[in-house]
Amino acid sequence: MNQRVTPNRGPALLDSVAGRLTTAVGAAFPGERAVFRGQDIHQSLADMNWVGMLALGITGRKLPATHLQLLESIWVFTSYPDSRIWNNRVAALAGSARSSGNLGVSGALAVSEAYIYGRQNEYQASSFFINTVKARAAGVPLQQCIDEEMAQHGRIAGYGRPLANADERIAPTMQLARELGLADGPHVALAFELEQHLVATGKPLRMNYGALVSAFGADLGFSPREYYHFLYPSFLAGMLPCYIEAADKPEGTLFPTACSAIQYQGPPPRDWGK
């Protein structure tokens, strides 16, 4: 998903880069200045907010304020401080086990790459929306695009949700997008059309937040790979409260399970007396 082709590494290539770093993303000059994507961090970027800087670092582009406001809201609307949630549980259990906050939250962010409902899900959804908008512009029917995606991946990423078939984050995101004039892009329109198509053809798979935010990413000009990087910290604000609360409670008291509650069906206990 996130790998790039590496040129054949021969002696000539290694000799050409030995002892030097060739970069277009920036450099630090201690005691003098620091350059970020060709601009002085402490001068020309002094008034940039962190979300804008993150987007600039990933894409090389300065995004309009309205784009950044919508993108930041995606992080806000999905930061749930609930230790029962799959990735938050990692952070909370780390706190209960007295691991460090950095290590615990890093582990929680790492498992957020989950294929079913994490970053890889949104990478696939973004790719599908971008490819489908192009294909339909060339006259390919929507059902054919769906069939090809199902043949390749066995699912349509971003549709269906564990535990609930509705997603409470969609309405406030769309409300803000309408206020900002960003609600009518082709990929977002496709996301809603696809939901209606799936329901109409007997597949009651409602759009979840992964599909919507992936569609917005495509409308705002992010490639799937760029958007994957941008979404990396999006759960972070909800993870830290889970870690902190668990760390403040007695050690090992988060989600304890009694041995009697385990229904073991494996080999019987070994008789060590024989």
Side-chain angles (χ1 to χ4, degrees), residues 128-165:
F128 174 71
F129 288 139
I130 292 171
N131 293 336
T132 300
V133 165
K134 292 178 181 178
R136 296 190 72 197
V140 179
L142 177 58
Q143 187 60 55
Q144 181 178 334
C145 296
I146 294 173
D147 292 342
E148 291 174 356
E149 183 75 359
M150 288 294 295
Q152 181 176 1
H153 296 289
R155 65 171 188 154
I156 304 297
Y159 290 83
R161 186 186 185 194
L163 305 179
N165 200 29

Side-chain angles (χ1 to χ4, degrees), residues 18-239:
R20 65 175 64 88
L21 172 66
T22 302
T23 178
V25 298
F29 303 88
E32 180 186 347
R33 61 194 174 100
V35 178
F36 190 96
R37 287 288 189 182
Q39 301 185 63
D40 191 301
I41 290 180
H42 308 115
Q43 298 297 324
S44 57
L45 299 184
D47 60 348
M48 174 170 279
N49 64 28
W50 188 84
V51 175
M53 190 172 190
L54 178 65
L56 173 63
I58 293 168
T59 68
R61 296 181 289 117
K62 279 190 174 182
L63 300 187
T66 54
H67 292 199
L68 294 175
Q69 185 177 348
L70 178 63
L71 290 167
E72 188 168 3
S73 75
I74 291 171
W75 293 3
V76 172
F77 292 157
T78 198
S79 293
Y80 290 9
D82 187 333
S83 295
R84 298 170 299 176
I85 296 175
W86 55 289
N87 48 4
N88 287 358
R89 183 174 296 216
V90 174
L93 287 171
S96 187
R98 300 301 185 261
S99 176
S100 71
N102 196 335
L103 184 61
V105 173
S106 294
L109 286 171
V111 303
S112 299
E113 292 212 279
Y115 176 66
I116 296 177
Y117 37 71
R119 300 287 82 94
Q120 294 187 60
N121 175 74
E122 289 143 1
Y123 187 98
Q124 181 184 333
S126 178
S127 299
F128 174 71
F129 288 139
I130 292 171
N131 293 336
T132 300
V133 165
K134 292 178 181 178
R136 296 190 72 197
V140 179
L142 177 58
Q143 187 60 55
Q144 181 178 334
C145 296
I146 294 173
D147 292 342
E148 291 174 356
E149 183 75 359
M150 288 294 295
Q152 181 176 1
H153 296 289
R155 65 171 188 154
I156 304 297
Y159 290 83
R161 186 186 185 194
L163 305 179
N165 200 29
D167 199 312
E168 68 282 357
R169 298 165 291 186
I170 291 176
T173 301
M174 288 305 301
Q175 178 180 342
L176 177 60
R178 284 189 286 269
E179 294 171 0
L180 297 173
L182 299 173
D184 301 317
H187 301 93
V188 169
L190 172 62
F192 282 98
E193 181 186 357
L194 180 56
E195 178 184 60
Q196 295 171 358
H197 181 86
L198 291 172
V199 173
T201 54
K203 301 178 180 65
L205 297 173
R206 297 289 181 180
M207 176 171 54
N208 63 42
Y209 204 52
L212 183 64
V213 301
S214 299
F216 272 119
D219 278 343
L220 298 182
F222 285 82
S223 71
R225 183 170 178 265
E226 290 171 342
Y227 205 49
Y228 157 84
H229 290 307
F230 182 81
L231 289 177
Y232 168 75
S234 59
F235 298 128
L236 179 60
M239 291 174 173

